[in-house]
Amino acid sequence: MKTLAKLPVTIVTGFLGAGKTTLLRHLLAHAEGRRIAVIVNEFGELGIDGEILKQCSIGCSEEEANGRVFELANGCLCCTVQEEFFPVMRELVARRGDLDHILIETSGLALPKPLVQAFNWPEIRNACTVDAVITVVDSPAVLAGTFAAFPDQVDEQRKLDPNLDHESPLHELFADQLASADLVILNKADLLDAEALAAVRAEVAEELPPAVKVIEAHGGELPLDVLLGLNSETELHIDSRRTHHDDEDEDHDHEEFDSFHVELPEAEEARLLAALKDAVAKYGILRVKGFAAIPGKPMRLLVQGVGQRFDRHFDRAWQADEPRVSRLVVIGQQLDRAAIEAELQAALA
């Protein structure tokens, strides 16, 4: 019988579009026999990331995969710990003899520190330990000063108001994700030259504890022994890491951010992308992700956009009983849902 030692947990955090899901897919595809449970914290009404992860080749049936991926859909983990995270962890603790590792992907808007602190709860601390908090950084976006590739309206508003703090809410969130990190991955490093990458590394280092290592990656492709088995026991010293949100009296609820999903008709790929890019530019949308129906194509198109940068590929065939419609999650700040939806519908009519 397997000894029920503490089960290691890796928390993967990072801003919108940094590449967290891609990193998890890489980990699961190269698990080398490890029995890994995955908790996906989805920001938005659709379980897009959870569905992406279920497609990974992780050596189990679809039924088994459904039992290993937990989607927490009611906001970010730091806001839903008591309502959803605890019951999920309690179930995994009961099954820890069958598991080797737990991976948690937080929302791009989540604060890691409250989640790590939850591992000091009595029913969790005796069974699990935080092996590491891994913060994934979108290197080109940091170089651009946006942290995620979105228009600069927030920063412009900040500059016009001398009463506002010197850092935007997005910068504070970015800094808080770094402050909780045991390992930082400068993702998409292949998109920058050496000088630009050095500038990103220097900016990130300003927000980090001295002992935190920073490594570079392309598409989250790193050896598992670099990512797992760090034995950081982060929950034991997380309280000593100061963040911007430590002194807040009220529960933070990410009021700055909105998300909604939209259903769109079939449309040619180029036409769909043009409509989405126009909406991003006009309304300051941070992130678009979901699945699209392309006329004449038997497979659905997986779309993931950060600012004006869109990645897409055909992921699987449409099922016989599945409606051929495009379903997308739109994430941003103070979004005019009705206007965005109407504009997209009109552009694709």
Side-chain angles (χ1 to χ4, degrees), residues 77-148:
L77 277 174
C78 52
C79 299
T80 63
V81 166
Q82 292 183 342
E83 291 80 2
E84 295 187 55
F85 174 71
F86 183 70
V88 170
M89 284 302 300
R90 185 163 53 189
E91 180 178 345
L92 291 179
V93 165
R95 297 169 50 192
R96 74 183 191 274
D98 300 321
L99 299 173
D100 298 311
H101 209 99
I102 298 174
L103 296 176
I104 300 177
E105 179 192 353
T106 72
S107 156
L109 304 177
L111 297 173
K113 185 172 181 178
L115 173 59
V116 176
Q117 290 171 323
F119 281 84
N120 286 310
W121 293 353
E123 290 190 55
I124 297 179
R125 70 186 180 196
N126 293 326
C128 299
T129 182
V130 179
D131 186 62
V133 175
I134 298 177
T135 299
V136 184
V137 172
D138 185 331
S139 298
V142 172
L143 182 68
T146 58
F147 314 109

Side-chain angles (χ1 to χ4, degrees), residues 295-322:
K297 299 292 185 181
M299 301 184 74
R300 67 182 190 180
L301 186 70
L302 169 63
V303 177
Q304 299 197 73
V306 181
Q308 293 289 323
R309 189 172 67 244
F310 279 83
D311 297 322
R312 70 270 188 198
H313 66 269
F314 290 100
D315 71 320
R316 68 162 173 79
W318 289 98
Q319 299 175 6
D321 59 348
E322 192 174 12

Side-chain angles (χ1 to χ4, degrees), residues 35 41 46 65 74 81 86 88 104 141 163 186 205 224 228 265 267 334:
R35 295 167 296 178
N41 171 222
L46 300 180
N74 293 336
V81 166
F86 183 70
V88 170
I104 300 177
N163 296 316
L186 302 185
L224 261 67
L228 304 182
Q334 299 179 339

Side-chain angles (χ1 to χ4, degrees), residues 11-320:
I11 298 170
V12 180
T13 188
F15 214 78
L16 298 165
K20 300 184 300 297
T21 300
T22 302
L23 177 68
L24 261 68
R25 292 186 70 168
H26 174 74
L27 281 167
L28 294 174
H30 299 84
E32 300 175 349
R34 293 177 178 86
R35 295 167 296 178
I36 299 175
V38 181
I39 300 176
V40 180
N41 171 222
E42 181 65 21
F43 185 90
E45 300 173 37
L46 300 180
I48 298 299
D49 287 346
E51 188 163 353
I52 292 171
L53 286 168
K54 288 174 189 176
Q55 298 165 24
C56 293
S57 176
I58 56 178
C60 62
S61 68
E62 181 177 354
E63 181 179 356
E64 289 172 329
N66 287 336
R68 292 168 66 177
V69 178
F70 294 86
E71 294 182 70
L72 310 183
N74 293 336
C76 61
L77 277 174
C78 52
C79 299
T80 63
V81 166
Q82 292 183 342
E83 291 80 2
E84 295 187 55
F85 174 71
F86 183 70
V88 170
M89 284 302 300
R90 185 163 53 189
E91 180 178 345
L92 291 179
V93 165
R95 297 169 50 192
R96 74 183 191 274
D98 300 321
L99 299 173
D100 298 311
H101 209 99
I102 298 174
L103 296 176
I104 300 177
E105 179 192 353
T106 72
S107 156
L109 304 177
L111 297 173
K113 185 172 181 178
L115 173 59
V116 176
Q117 290 171 323
F119 281 84
N120 286 310
W121 293 353
E123 290 190 55
I124 297 179
R125 70 186 180 196
N126 293 326
C128 299
T129 182
V130 179
D131 186 62
V133 175
I134 298 177
T135 299
V136 184
V137 172
D138 185 331
S139 298
V142 172
L143 182 68
T146 58
F147 314 109
F150 66 98
D152 293 333
Q153 291 102 328
V154 174
D155 193 50
E156 290 302 317
Q157 292 173 358
R158 177 190 61 80
K159 292 175 181 177
L160 292 174
D161 189 344
N163 296 316
L164 291 180
D165 189 78
H166 69 285
E167 292 178 321
S168 71
L170 295 176
H171 191 174
E172 291 181 357
L173 176 56
F174 177 74
D176 285 0
Q177 291 178 343
L178 289 175
S180 300
D182 299 298
L183 176 69
V184 174
I185 298 174
L186 302 185
N187 206 20
K188 308 176 188 176
D190 57 306
L191 301 180
L192 301 179
D193 60 27
E195 182 179 357
L197 195 56
V200 172
R201 182 181 284 270
E203 180 165 353
V204 167
E206 292 179 359
E207 308 287 355
L208 288 176
V212 175
K213 293 184 178 180
V214 180
I215 58 177
E216 300 165 9
H218 169 213
E221 296 181 1
L222 292 165
L224 261 67
D225 57 3
V226 173
L227 301 170
L228 304 182
L230 276 66
N231 301 314
S232 300
E233 296 183 307
T234 316
E235 70 277 10
L236 300 182
H237 49 82
I238 190 64
D239 289 341
S240 67
R241 302 188 189 184
R242 298 294 298 170
T243 70
H244 291 276
H245 293 80
D246 285 341
D247 300 322
E248 290 185 350
D249 295 328
E250 299 178 359
D251 293 336
H252 93 96
D253 56 9
H254 299 314
E255 291 178 352
E256 305 99 328
F257 301 100
D258 303 313
S259 76
F260 62 87
H261 82 270
V262 59
E263 290 194 359
L264 301 171
E266 288 188 275
E268 296 293 339
E269 182 177 343
R271 190 177 176 191
L272 173 65
L273 291 176
L276 292 175
K277 288 182 178 181
D278 287 345
V280 166
K282 184 173 181 179
Y283 295 100
I285 295 169
L286 298 176
R287 183 89 188 270
V288 178
K289 57 182 178 178
F291 305 98
I294 309 299
K297 299 292 185 181
M299 301 184 74
R300 67 182 190 180
L301 186 70
L302 169 63
V303 177
Q304 299 197 73
V306 181
Q308 293 289 323
R309 189 172 67 244
F310 279 83
D311 297 322
R312 70 270 188 198
H313 66 269
F314 290 100
D315 71 320
R316 68 162 173 79
W318 289 98
Q319 299 175 6

